[in-house]
Amino acid sequence: MTDSSSSDSSLDQAANFSVESQDLLRKQKELKIQRYKPSASREFDILHTDLDLQFDWENQTVTGKARLTIKPFFYPQKVLVLDAKDFEVGTVGVVVGDSLQKLSYRYNERELSVFLPKELTVKDTVELEVNYKAFPERNSGDGSKAITDTKGLYFIDPLDTVPDKPSMIWTQGETEHNSKWFPTIDRPNERFTHTIKLTVPDTMVSVSNGKLVKQESLGNGFRKDHWEMDLPHAPYLVAIAVGNFGKVDASHGKIPLGYFVEKGFEKGAAKVFENTPKMMAFFEERLGIPFPWQKYDQIVVRDFVSGAMENTTASIFMEELRMDEREAIDSEWDYIIAHELFHQWFGDLVTTESWANLTLNEAFANYSEYLWNEFYYGNDQAALKLVSEMEGYFAEAEVKQENLIRFDYQDSEDMFDAHSYNKGGVILHMLRTYLGDEAFFQGLNQYLKRHAFQSVEVHDLRLAFEQVSGKDLNWFFNQWFLEKGHPELKIEVDYSQPDNVLISLTQLQDLEENPLYQLPVEVSWYEGKDRRSKIFHLTSANQSFALENEKPVSQVYVDEGKNLLARRTQGISNEEFAQQFIESQLGVARYEALDSLISREAKTELSRILPLALKDSFWSVRENALGFLQSDSEWRNEIEGLEEVVYDLAENDPKNSVRSAAIDLLGEWDPDKYQNAFKRLANHPSYLIAGSALMGLVRASESKLDVSTVENYSGEKNYRMVIPVAEYFIMESVLGKGNWFATKLNELNGEGLYYFLGYYGEYFTRFPNEGKEGAIESLIHLLQTSSKDYIRMGAFQALMGFADQKETLEKIEKSIQGEKSIQLQNYFGYFLEMLKDEN
């Protein structure tokens, strides 16, 4: 007999659980609605903006008069709300002929609400004037990994107080930061034409969007430049730069090109940006769309808060691209130059409707780096670049996985991540591989033509590809753009029937969080020197494919070219990796095989393939092999003739980075033996080669350099030469070099500064009388003020050498209190905690 009271209790518990479950589900769905970030509603449309700007360099403010030609977008409107962050607002009014009819307004430091004289309809167009003073320094906040600050407009050394640092002004408007220096509707789905009048010192050069149409002398050392942008674009793409720039003139057809850089670096800029016309021609041919703007300028500035920014017709780049003629020999900045140039089509001509769709800008710019590498440097370099992009995404996926198109971001800056960039670019590559080149590029052509000077969302892209190819692509866009994660593939190969190899694929990703993927998978194999391949379509969680290869094979490759964004698990032996290296025609597969054998310390197989790797046609394979040999000096005697091969690479390899790696290896093996070669190569035009050779000279133990020889190189400003000199001064205890170290700290930037910081800290740690207190203050200053995370980390690392002093430790702890990077907070905290434990 059933106990009715027990049964009733169970029913009550079940009912309560059901209510709690429904309540939790309701709260989750409510939260989802609350977190939804819609595309901005278009209440008004700005047709044209006219700005007249003056700059107070001492107080770092902008005095402006803005005239905005506006109309309601659709519905009648009585109040215009403009984004205007940290302004002091003066007169606001409607322009009526030559007079101004004043209007009432409300301002809350973020938005300017203007009360119109009457309700306007879509048929009404009015011109408003806003007089204001902008304070970019006020309330500037955290940015993102890609854009590290939000001032919008930046004064660089405005009073010329920093030696060897030029005064500049430049802007960075993405995402919604241009409203820090002019009033606008600061949303990516807004577009307008504009004129900008800039009052600047007559010794300086100004650059902006569009064309310079007029310059007028104002007397008293000032000039007014008139810039006109007669094609509409989004507010975040408006830009200005002011400074003592030199200019290199170039052209692509009728399109004028300008490369702006600090005076004295023009020859370097000509080399750094020399491929711009070729890139432009290549992208035009690929897309079937001519470059869409009036001109294209590229400006290199100091202290930029990003790598670069694709302002329409006027891309701005970080100072690492400021190189002299000799440094530019080894310039490897094509990738970022291509990235910003491709944005002129994808992002500027056709713009994401909302930051939720940011990948429609950044995925294409990211993929342009692959396209340029493929065209100009070859398939191997492009494929390895793609693998690097995948690894960047996979590293981020360890800590977060998001839908590529996502409307629930907390801040628009959150969208600038390895999902929007890396994953987006790889997805485009997979789509290209699936559709084929002709359909893929025709699809891009149709997308650009149909949506030129418009805002788009992801479905616009899908429809363009579908209409060209005739294929349904919902499945592709749903799983890659509208879902999070990536496939986790287990791969098994059965060779029991060599003439009909069986490949089994299993998807292991969490299907509660991630989709079950449909994947076209290439399987390839070799018959002698002939490469064969088949495409199989994975549509199940577990699926097997018979290769039907007919001719017996002992090894097949799944996704040999590394085209799939997938984590894979496959039992591959050392011998199989060796065979992969020997027979694969794809440089990326040979690189993978070598890298895998190195990580496994597979000495037997490495003995066979290292001689082949050093003669490989792909320079990255040669360079990787040389780097590995540096880690173990015993290899020098393990392989007959190895040293002669390395020496030949040092003297004759066509790639300077390979020559540099070979010189580094010889310097590791026997720096005294190669002194004559090093002395000659230390004066090579390439800093890569010269720096490695100079380090080889410095490390000699039997034939030590005298100080006077090293002094000949002490005036060099390139870090590849500076670091060997610094090492010599430290190892040989050369005193009196405190000022030299201080000078180099101010001269270096970017990765060169980062590498130098360790030497800088060590010198003053060893020789405190050379200026320890000043060194500590300089490092503290970098720790507090550098916009680059890795420089702040380098400064902290250098300061650890002085952390045994209580006063210095307190300064360090105080300096890092304002650190915004979570990663650096954790890093700093870990080491400081260790110090406390030790003490």
Side-chain angles (χ1 to χ4, degrees), residues 474-530:
N474 274 291
W475 63 272
F476 185 94
F477 278 74
N478 287 344
Q479 70 184 21
W480 288 117
F481 285 94
L482 303 176
E483 293 271 11
K484 61 185 175 182
H486 51 267
E488 302 274 354
L489 295 181
K490 180 181 179 182
I491 302 168
E492 297 175 296
V493 183
D494 181 356
Y495 294 102
S496 58
Q497 295 186 52
D499 57 352
N500 190 15
V501 175
L502 187 68
I503 299 100
S504 298
L505 302 176
T506 304
Q507 298 193 47
L508 300 176
Q509 67 272 12
D510 181 357
L511 296 181
E512 289 189 2
E513 294 289 329
N514 310 122
L516 183 69
Y517 288 87
Q518 299 182 54
L519 296 173
V521 180
E522 183 191 46
V523 178
S524 54
W525 68 98
Y526 290 86
E527 295 175 0
K529 293 185 178 181
D530 294 327

Side-chain angles (χ1 to χ4, degrees), residues 567 639 668 791:
R567 285 287 200 191
I639 301 173
E668 190 73 29
I791 297 295

Side-chain angles (χ1 to χ4, degrees), residues 7 70 600 616 656-657 663 827 839:
S7 176
I70 64 162
R600 293 181 181 188
D616 196 90
N656 285 345
S657 62
I663 295 166
Y827 181 85
N839 296 328

